[in-house]
Amino acid sequence: MERIQKQMEFLHEIDKVKDIFRQSLVVDGKREENDAEHSWHMAMVALTIKEYFIEEFDLEKSLKMILIHDLVEIYAGDTPAFGAERPDKKEEEIKAAKKLFSLLPKDQSKYFLELWLEFEECESSEAKYANVCDRYQGFMQNLTSDGHTWKKFNATMEKVLQRAEVLRLYVPELFEKYMLPKFKMYEARGIIK
């Protein structure tokens, strides 16, 4: 019963991810997207664009990373992609991950923490793909909101391309044929500086 109780407490706690709002707007622009919506959309991106990823990888493992990657924001808060840097972000998120995943039984706690750390380190093919999906989903949110976060944070082309580097490296066809022309279009409009 103790195992079940711990799992249920964890599932109850992570429901709070629905109350973590991001800077991105939902398609109709009526409100900000929450972390749960972001993770769901990332998972759909993962299922849809996998043919463009240049490395062999385990899609199921990437999907697991996608589902847990932002849960730490329940305690650490969201850091906007184009906002001010937070020097304590990594430390705060590690502390939050340990706190959150410790709610689980030890074997699951260890596994979830390892998955989350693997995503953050972005070295395995699965973590690279999950990060590709994270960055691509943010890019899509900017397209559906007429560059909302690019405008809000006065994003420069240098910063936008830096953020998209993982896409350039691991989904080059998608980056070159679809994303780069969009970046240039938004730069020509003065939305990307």
Side-chain angles (χ1 to χ4, degrees):
M1 183 63 174
E2 181 183 342
R3 182 175 181 85
I4 292 172
Q5 186 63 35
K6 285 178 175 268
Q7 291 166 327
M8 296 310 108
E9 286 174 14
F10 173 76
L11 291 174
H12 178 77
E13 188 70 3
I14 65 169
D15 197 51
K16 293 176 181 176
V17 80
K18 295 173 187 172
D19 279 333
I20 307 297
F21 287 90
R22 304 165 54 79
Q23 298 299 314
S24 301
L25 299 177
V26 294
V27 175
D28 62 11
K30 289 182 182 173
R31 64 172 175 81
E32 294 165 332
E33 170 189 56
N34 69 42
D35 271 355
E37 292 165 324
H38 165 66
S39 295
W40 163 80
H41 203 198
M42 265 180 73
M44 292 305 301
V45 166
L47 294 175
T48 306
I49 70 166
K50 65 182 180 168
E51 69 193 79
Y52 301 105
F53 192 65
I54 63 170
E55 295 183 7
E56 292 293 320
F57 73 106
D58 177 349
L59 178 60
E60 181 179 336
K61 187 174 182 184
S62 293
L63 287 168
K64 289 174 184 178
M65 290 180 194
I66 286 167
L67 289 171
I68 68 167
H69 84 286
D70 273 346
L71 292 178
V72 300
E73 293 183 2
I74 292 169
Y75 301 137
D78 179 49
T79 304
F82 298 102
E85 297 289 323
R86 274 180 45 198
D88 61 343
K89 178 184 180 226
K90 187 172 184 170
E91 181 181 300
E92 297 253 336
E93 287 188 345
I94 290 170
K95 184 178 168 186
K98 289 178 179 177
K99 178 181 176 182
L100 181 64
F101 299 137
S102 74
L103 297 172
L104 286 162
K106 285 188 184 193
D107 61 321
Q108 287 182 317
S109 175
K110 181 178 185 292
Y111 180 66
F112 279 43
L113 181 61
E114 287 171 358
L115 272 177
W116 180 81
L117 288 168
E118 187 176 339
F119 172 85
E120 290 295 312
E121 291 164 1
C122 195
E123 292 178 6
S124 70
S125 292
E126 292 76 17
K128 290 173 189 173
Y129 188 64
N131 275 275
V132 158
C133 296
D134 187 30
R135 304 297 168 84
Y136 190 79
Q137 195 275 342
F139 162 76
M140 287 180 59
Q141 292 301 104
N142 268 305
L143 294 186
T144 61
S145 64
D146 197 35
H148 173 73
T149 61
W150 293 331
K151 288 181 212 172
K152 183 173 183 171
F153 295 105
N154 294 309
T156 63
M157 183 59 89
E158 179 184 5
K159 182 76 173 179
V160 167
L161 291 175
Q162 178 187 16
R163 182 99 181 126
E165 180 65 6
V166 70
L167 293 135
R168 187 187 68 75
L169 292 172
Y170 301 110
V171 288
E173 181 182 3
L174 184 64
F175 179 82
E176 292 292 331
K177 290 182 178 176
Y178 186 71
M179 297 179 71
L180 197 53
K182 297 289 186 190
F183 291 149
K184 289 178 180 177
M185 180 183 80
Y186 278 88
E187 182 182 39
R189 291 179 55 205
I191 291 172
I192 296 176
K193 311 294 181 219

